[in-house]
Structure formats: C-alpha cells, structure tokens
Amino acid sequence: MKSTIKSATTIALSALATTTLSTFSFPSFTIAKEKKIWEKIEIPTKDTIFDISFDPSKPEHGWLIGSKGTFLETFDGGNTWKTRTFNSLDEDEDISYRFEVASLLDDEGWIIGKPAIMLHTRDGGKQFERIPLSPKLPGDPVSIKATGAGAAEMITSQGAIYTTVNGGLNWKAQVKETIDATLNRISSSGTSGASYFTGKLANQIRDVNGNYLAVGSRGNLFLTWSKGEDYWVPHNRGSSRRIQNMGFIQNDASKGIWMTLNGGSFYITPSSPDLNQIDIEKLFQQSKINSGGYGLIDASWRTQDNVWVVGGSGIIFESKDGGKTFKFNDDAKDIPGNLYRVKFFNENLGFAIGSDGVLL
C-alpha cells in the first residue's frame, strides 16, 4: 500500500509474530469511521517483499525487492511498478535468490540477498555488476547503505562492518572483531545470554549517522556500536521476554531507541541514550498499547509525534504522542498476510511491505 499522509503514516512488518496467533482472539477495538490512511497498490507479484528504496535525488525512482528473485521498479513515486531483471544474472539464476536489502543514492545502487550475493549499479539500475565476496568475509552481507559515488557501508551476519569508496573493489574494516569474538572476550562481564549467542544476528539497524543496533538471533541480548569505536557493546534485554525487534527513533540514535518484545509489548528510551552504557536497558520505558498478545514487528516515526507500529496478521497501531500511547488502526484488517517492514521517505509518503506481494 502507498500512504499519502496528512495525519498519519505507513507501516510494514519485519517478520512473522513469534507468538502463536491461534491462541489469541483478535483484540477488540472501537474505531471511528474515517477515510483510510493506507491504500493497497497492485504489483505484478505475489511473492514476499523484503525492502523498498527510493533515490533521494530522484524521489520518483524506486525499487522493490523480495523472494524468488523479485525486482520491481517505479518511476512515478510508487504508484505503478514494473518487473525488472538483472543483466548480471541468468534468467534461471534470478529466481534462486531472495533479495533482502536495497539502497539507492544519486543513481548509485546496491542490492544484497541470500544465498550471499551483492549487486552494484552506477547508473540507477540500467546495468548491474556482481561484486565478488571474499571467502574470508566473517559472515554473509545482511545490510548495505549507499553513502556516495562508489561508496557504501556494509554489515555482515557476524557484525563485521566495512566501507568501500571504489564501488566494492576494496573494503575497509570499521570494527576490530566480530560480535561473537567480543562476547567470548567479555563473557564474564555479566551480560545474560552472551554464552547462548549463536554467532549470527536476527536484525541490525543503522541510523542516519552510522551508529548501529544489533539483535542476537535468539532475541536474548542486543548490542550497540557507535561510529568510530573499535568494538561492539553488549547489553541485557531487561526482560525475560525475547526481543522481537529494535530501532532508532526517527532513525537517529540521539532521539532514542525503541524495542518490541514477544507478547506485544513496546518500549522506548528518552533522547540521547549513551550507546556505550552497559546497563542501557534500564532506560527503556513501556508504552501503552493493547496488542492483544500479537507480536509487534516493526515501528517507524513519521514525525516527532506521529509513530506507527505493525505486527502479525496485519495489525497496525498509531501514536500521536511520540510513542507513549497507541490506538488500533484497522486499514489492513481485510488484507491477508503479514506486513514485514515500514519505511517513510518523507512526512507524506510511506510504504508497508509484506507477504503475498502486499504493498501499502
């Protein structure tokens, strides 16, 4: 769906709720009859969509990527989408990949997926080159951010962060060790769950200034990295419930951090948290949200006060007080499937993406 927002925003879920949904009845809400904020956009695929990206310098130009080699392109701000293929991949090879992250900036574009693959374009996607990945790379690429002409920043599934300034020919390490190496080195520091770290990340988030959050694949701890530091800092989750997802408020670490836990609870910190503070979990304050036990998967700030949270079975919640309290929004209640991610490209335009080719 595409949302042209005057009083609200768009939302997407980043994973299926881990709570068994069948054990709950859908929460009961009283909704005033208003014009829907979210509009469904028909796209030429029923496969799962994992990411959407627009070029800030050309806001009408964007990409949608997903499972089974899904690659769609728009030149009208997301109103219509057409199927694309990669010149650097054979037609049969396309469908074997699950493309998960895309980043566009001034026609410089990057796409990564699974099995491990990295694609790069210098002309907005007319031609792609496949970037070789070293077998010595610690983990697989899981996220990438275009930062300039020939420049990008990449993070792997083991928390290794690299930058390139020559289109991926060479990469420079930004941290001195991977996350599992950090946890092994400081295992006696008192971070609960550190000994159960599997060596992989469930999610990793980069803010606008290059700071990172990372959630362990079991949801039992999280880590932070401040730009310029040599090592990741591990943190307890502050609850017996596992972490569902985390992120930066307004995509800026200085504005605070948000967290969702299994069972449908939502937390935020005050502004200016110290990412190097070991007991940062003490800063989190629980928000008021009647999720009915459904998992809350993703959140996004449209403005300082207007926040959207989404979860399994298409549930959507809106906050008008910066994330302190939320109310249910039923715009997606008749849409089958799950929403996996939400992105806002400005205050008036946001998208929600999910399973079965859902785009809002």
Side-chain angles (χ1 to χ4, degrees):
M1 291 184 188
K2 179 182 181 183
S3 172
T4 49
I5 305 171
K6 293 184 179 179
S7 63
T9 351
T10 325
I11 312 167
L13 301 172
S14 53
L16 268 172
T18 55
T19 305
T20 304
L21 301 183
S22 61
T23 61
F24 296 95
S25 58
F26 209 94
S28 176
F29 304 98
T30 302
I31 305 297
K33 296 299 181 181
E34 298 178 353
K35 183 178 179 180
K36 285 188 175 182
I37 295 169
W38 303 101
E39 299 175 355
K40 185 176 182 180
I41 294 177
E42 298 298 330
I43 57 176
T45 183
K46 293 298 181 183
D47 295 317
T48 297
I49 305 300
F50 286 110
D51 199 12
I52 182 170
S53 182
F54 281 83
D55 191 333
S57 65
K58 299 179 179 179
E60 300 299 304
H61 181 213
W63 295 339
L64 270 177
I65 57 171
S67 63
K68 298 181 180 178
T70 296
F71 178 31
L72 308 179
E73 189 169 33
T74 182
F75 289 98
D76 60 10
N79 292 307
T80 59
W81 297 83
K82 292 185 178 180
T83 302
R84 280 287 315 274
T85 58
F86 295 100
N87 62 290
S88 54
L89 298 176
D90 295 334
E91 184 176 349
D92 293 339
E93 191 179 10
D94 272 11
I95 63 174
S96 65
Y97 287 101
R98 185 172 88 169
F99 299 119
E100 294 186 334
V101 177
S103 183
L104 257 174
L105 178 65
D106 298 329
D107 279 341
E108 195 89 21
W110 302 81
I111 293 175
I112 60 175
K114 294 178 181 177
I117 187 173
M118 179 182 294
L119 301 169
H120 174 232
T121 179
R122 301 175 187 270
D123 57 13
K126 296 176 183 178
Q127 299 288 325
F128 279 90
E129 59 180 339
R130 186 168 179 172
I131 304 299
L133 298 173
S134 170
K136 297 181 180 180
L137 187 69
D140 296 329
V142 290
S143 188
I144 194 163
K145 175 70 175 179
T147 55
E153 186 170 284
M154 167 186 68
I155 182 172
T156 75
S157 56
Q158 292 185 20
I161 301 172
Y162 296 90
T163 58
T164 182
V165 294
N166 57 9
L169 292 176
N170 304 102
W171 296 86
K172 181 180 179 181
Q174 302 300 299
V175 293
K176 290 188 175 181
E177 61 187 14
T178 59
I179 286 176
D180 54 348
T182 295
L183 293 176
N184 287 334
R185 177 171 54 83
I186 61 171
S187 59
S188 61
S189 66
T191 303
S192 63
S195 60
Y196 300 101
F197 183 68
T198 61
K200 293 185 179 181
L201 303 176
N203 197 17
Q204 55 289 313
I205 307 95
R206 181 187 189 275
D207 85 340
V208 67
N209 297 310
N211 302 297
Y212 279 88
L213 279 168
V215 179
S217 58
R218 293 185 179 182
N220 52 359
L221 79 162
F222 70 98
L223 304 98
T224 54
W225 181 75
S226 300
K227 190 174 182 64
E229 296 294 326
D230 291 332
Y231 306 101
W232 287 87
V233 179
H235 309 277
N236 293 312
R237 63 180 181 263
S239 170
S240 59
R241 294 182 177 181
R242 296 187 182 276
I243 299 170
Q244 184 82 58
N245 200 6
M246 295 184 71
F248 294 107
I249 293 174
Q250 293 185 269
N251 196 29
D252 187 342
S254 68
K255 303 290 180 63
I257 302 172
W258 60 266
M259 174 193 291
T260 62
L261 301 179
N262 283 3
S265 54
F266 188 83
Y267 296 80
I268 56 176
T269 72
S271 61
S272 303
D274 181 0
L275 299 185
N276 295 314
Q277 178 182 339
I278 298 299
D279 58 350
I280 195 174
E281 71 275 3
K282 294 180 180 180
L283 299 178
F284 284 93
Q285 302 169 358
Q286 187 168 6
S287 301
K288 184 178 179 181
I289 184 168
N290 182 15
S291 65
Y294 283 82
L296 305 176
I297 309 300
D298 201 15
S300 187
W301 268 246
R302 183 178 71 91
T303 65
Q304 180 177 347
D305 296 321
N306 190 221
V307 189
W308 292 86
V309 173
V310 295
S313 297
I315 59 171
I316 300 175
F317 294 89
E318 179 187 11
S319 171
K320 296 181 179 180
D321 57 9
K324 296 177 182 178
T325 62
F326 288 86
K327 291 185 177 181
F328 180 72
N329 176 288
D330 68 349
D331 285 355
K333 67 181 180 64
D334 296 325
I335 297 175
N338 298 277
L339 298 173
Y340 295 116
R341 195 167 187 182
V342 57
K343 275 191 172 184
F344 293 96
F345 297 95
N346 57 55
E347 290 186 8
N348 298 314
L349 183 63
F351 292 86
I353 54 180
S355 61
D356 302 318
V358 172
L359 174 65
L360 310 179

